[in-house]
Amino acid sequence: MDYLRRLGQSLDRPGFAWKQLIITFQIAQYAFEGFLSFRQYKILKQTRPPKTLEGEVNQETFDKSQAYGRAKAQFGLYSGVYSQIQNFGTIYYDLLPRLWDLTGTWLFRYSPKGFTGEITHTLIFFFAYNLITTTINLPIAYYSTFVLEEKFGFNKSTVKLWVMDLLKGQALGIALGAPLLSAFLAIVQKTGNSFFYYLFLFGIAVQLFAITIYPIAILPLFNKLSPLKEGDLKTGVEGLAKKLDFPLKQLFVIDGSKRSAHSNAYFYGLPWKKHIVIYDTLIEKSETEEVVAVLSHELGHWSLSHTTKLFGIAQFHMFYVFALFSVFINNRSLYRSFGFHKEFPIIIGFILFSEALAPMDMIIKLLMNVLSRKFEFEADEFAVKLGYSTELAKSLIKLQIQNLSTMDADWMYASYHFSHPILPERLGALGWSSKEKKADPKLMNGEKPSVVTGREL
């Protein structure tokens, strides 16, 4: 505790160029990630699939996959430039203090007495800032869904549904964000220098609340969950769960196809009561044994305690972030460098602290991806031991083709960006050997593609 206080004092240096330092961090990160993307783009220009996939992927499918990868890379470049312009404009023109002053003026003029404190001011500032950034980024979001994804046959949404999702998201942001942000600020205000301990406990409580409330109150606003019908798939999944002592409570099918051709399979819930959700697109495009193989991989993460380990790491990271925030919260030189000379709002301190923490976040991202790829190999091995080696390999290949996923990757780009091994690596670990060339005529005739996302295969 005393160490953190001394560290905070040593970093609070009047006149220190925090703004220039953070801009330098942002430029360096953008340049580094651009360099990685350039390396990956050269891979995406290759004309032949990796040797492991030569017997599985026809030339037409590979070419389309490469084109999709290049289109996403180009979109990432342009959207990245757009984001950098926003960031630099916000910093250079001191838009944060300007917006803080403007929302303060609104609060003074129009709010009733008793609602003019920092918490109310922060809520108005936060929602105004969120509305502005959401509006500015609408063209990027629209292009991603209705141009890029539409071009390659993945988008199944309509403009009306897209707008409704956007409005629902904003409404949820206000309904849930207001009390959570208010509680965050109140804890910092009332608990003194040791606030990060209480924020940590609050963060754990919020996560447990989210696990409980999300499938009950939030998910139904966007998708419909239906019980999985009786049949071979339900029997197979229930048998797998029983074999592993997985505390399965319910099996659901989700109507993911009304928005996208991508698909997913995941489980959620408290340790003693779990629910499995399978996207309708995954069921539609896979054989029963392949879906069970997918879930054997997913339940492998549970059986091998991967989910528990990742949850524990996430809690440690949250504590570390809040503890470091206590070092910066009273750093007046940081506030003044960004145009805050009279007021030092907590939320602004957290935003600026997050920007200063960016280089460390890059390292953590790299390490977490290394660990995640290790866990993926282990979950694959778990499925193999259950006897699903062939089915899992076939499912991986099918999903890769249907989703036009990247079939090869630059090692440096993959190390930094990918949380999952690329398909040739996984097939090699599974001991898969190709026997014949697959033409995939159905996939090339416009049938719906699918992929396992989120906690992916």
Side-chain angles (χ1 to χ4, degrees):
M1 188 71 170
D2 189 53
Y3 168 76
L4 293 175
R5 182 183 59 80
R6 292 198 305 270
L7 179 61
Q9 291 174 346
S10 67
L11 291 174
D12 190 3
R13 302 178 181 180
F16 186 79
W18 284 104
K19 180 185 288 188
Q20 288 76 6
L21 180 64
I22 288 176
I23 289 177
T24 301
F25 284 162
Q26 292 181 345
I27 294 174
Q29 180 176 355
Y30 182 72
F32 173 68
E33 293 180 353
F35 167 71
L36 296 182
S37 296
F38 174 75
R39 291 176 60 96
Q40 177 64 9
Y41 199 81
K42 290 194 294 184
I43 300 293
L44 293 171
K45 293 176 71 175
Q46 293 177 352
T47 58
R48 300 295 301 173
K51 289 185 177 181
T52 310
L53 300 180
E54 284 181 349
E56 309 301 338
V57 180
N58 64 36
Q59 189 63 43
E60 188 177 1
T61 301
F62 179 74
D63 291 342
K64 192 172 182 180
S65 168
Q66 292 290 82
Y68 183 46
R70 291 193 299 271
K72 289 193 296 182
Q74 292 164 2
F75 173 74
L77 172 65
Y78 297 137
S79 61
V81 170
Y82 190 65
S83 177
Q84 289 300 312
I85 292 173
Q86 291 181 52
N87 290 339
F88 293 152
T90 300
I91 294 173
Y92 184 80
Y93 292 105
D94 287 332
L95 297 185
L96 288 178
R98 291 173 185 268
L99 182 59
W100 180 264
D101 291 341
L102 178 61
T103 52
T105 300
W106 293 345
L107 188 66
F108 178 77
R109 289 181 179 177
Y110 304 114
S111 67
K113 293 182 179 179
F115 291 90
T116 56
E118 182 180 350
I119 291 179
T120 306
H121 189 174
T122 298
L123 292 176
I124 296 175
F125 166 84
F126 184 79
F127 293 127
Y129 180 77
N130 181 63
L131 179 61
I132 292 169
T133 55
T134 299
T135 303
I136 290 174
N137 287 311
L138 280 177
I140 296 294
Y142 182 90
Y143 183 92
S144 175
T145 301
F146 293 102
V147 179
L148 177 59
E149 294 295 297
E150 186 81 27
K151 179 180 179 180
F152 290 90
F154 293 119
N155 175 48
K156 303 302 175 186
S157 183
T158 63
V159 174
K160 179 181 178 181
L161 183 60
W162 183 74
V163 171
M164 289 302 299
D165 284 348
L166 181 67
L167 294 176
K168 289 177 184 178
Q170 292 297 308
L172 278 174
I174 295 173
L176 298 178
L180 292 177
L181 182 55
S182 298
F184 175 91
L185 297 171
I187 290 171
V188 176
Q189 288 178 340
K190 297 181 182 300
T191 55
N193 293 331
S194 59
F195 70 84
F196 57 91
Y197 291 112
Y198 300 96
L199 278 184
F200 172 65
L201 295 175
F202 174 69
I204 294 176
V206 169
Q207 292 174 75
L208 295 176
F209 173 76
I211 291 172
T212 303
I213 200 68
Y214 175 77
I216 299 172
I218 299 177
L219 184 58
L221 295 175
F222 299 91
N223 292 96
K224 180 182 178 182
L225 288 176
S226 304
L228 180 63
K229 295 180 180 179
E230 297 292 335
D232 292 341
L233 179 56
K234 185 175 183 180
T235 301
V237 174
E238 289 178 340
L240 176 64
K242 184 176 181 180
K243 181 178 181 179
L244 300 177
D245 292 326
F246 180 76
L248 178 61
K249 178 68 174 178
Q250 288 177 297
L251 268 170
F252 292 113
V253 177
I254 189 171
D255 61 339
S257 59
K258 75 176 185 179
R259 286 181 177 79
S260 173
H262 297 300
S263 59
N264 195 357
Y266 63 91
F267 62 86
Y268 68 89
L270 297 170
W272 56 88
K273 186 173 67 173
K274 300 289 188 182
H275 308 270
I276 291 177
V277 178
I278 308 172
Y279 273 51
D280 54 358
T281 45
L282 182 61
I283 296 174
E284 179 186 348
K285 291 300 176 181
S286 303
E287 300 295 332
T288 296
E289 284 301 304
E290 291 171 351
V291 177
V292 176
V294 167
L295 291 171
S296 73
H297 169 97
E298 294 301 322
L299 297 191
H301 286 302
W302 171 83
S303 185
L304 297 170
S305 301
H306 293 165
T307 51
T308 302
K309 292 172 183 176
L310 291 174
F311 182 79
I313 292 172
Q315 306 321 299
F316 176 80
H317 179 254
M318 181 172 62
F319 182 80
Y320 138 84
V321 167
F322 287 152
L324 277 184
F325 178 45
S326 72
V327 172
F328 284 86
I329 191 171
N330 294 314
N331 191 318
R332 298 297 184 252
S333 63
L334 176 61
Y335 282 97
R336 291 189 177 103
S337 183
F338 283 85
F340 290 87
H341 300 284
K342 297 180 180 180
E343 294 184 84
F344 308 101
I346 295 170
I347 190 63
I348 297 298
F350 192 75
I351 292 173
L352 299 181
F353 157 72
S354 299
E355 296 288 351
L357 200 63
M360 185 61 69
D361 285 342
M362 291 176 62
I363 296 174
I364 291 174
K365 174 184 176 179
L366 172 63
L367 295 177
M368 288 303 298
N369 281 340
V370 170
L371 179 62
S372 178
R373 288 194 296 273
K374 176 178 180 293
F375 284 171
E376 292 305 315
F377 280 124
E378 291 177 356
D380 282 351
E381 184 181 3
F382 183 87
V384 169
K385 291 179 179 178
L386 291 175
Y388 291 105
S389 175
T390 300
E391 292 81 1
L392 181 60
K394 288 181 177 179
S395 180
L396 287 171
I397 293 168
K398 182 180 291 186
L399 293 171
Q400 186 87 6
I401 293 172
Q402 291 171 346
N403 187 52
L404 300 179
S405 298
T406 301
M407 299 186 186
D408 201 359
D410 172 74
W411 71 269
M412 190 179 295
Y413 180 91
S415 298
Y416 181 76
H417 282 291
F418 288 178
S419 61
H420 289 62
I422 59 175
L423 181 59
E425 294 174 335
R426 297 181 72 176
L427 293 180
L430 289 170
W432 174 261
S433 59
S434 174
K435 295 183 179 179
E436 61 181 71
K437 185 93 168 180
K438 293 189 178 180
D440 300 304
K442 293 182 179 180
L443 293 176
M444 303 314 300
N445 287 331
E447 286 200 10
K448 295 180 182 179
S450 60
V451 66
V452 176
T453 55
R455 179 79 238 175
E456 292 183 352
L457 258 176

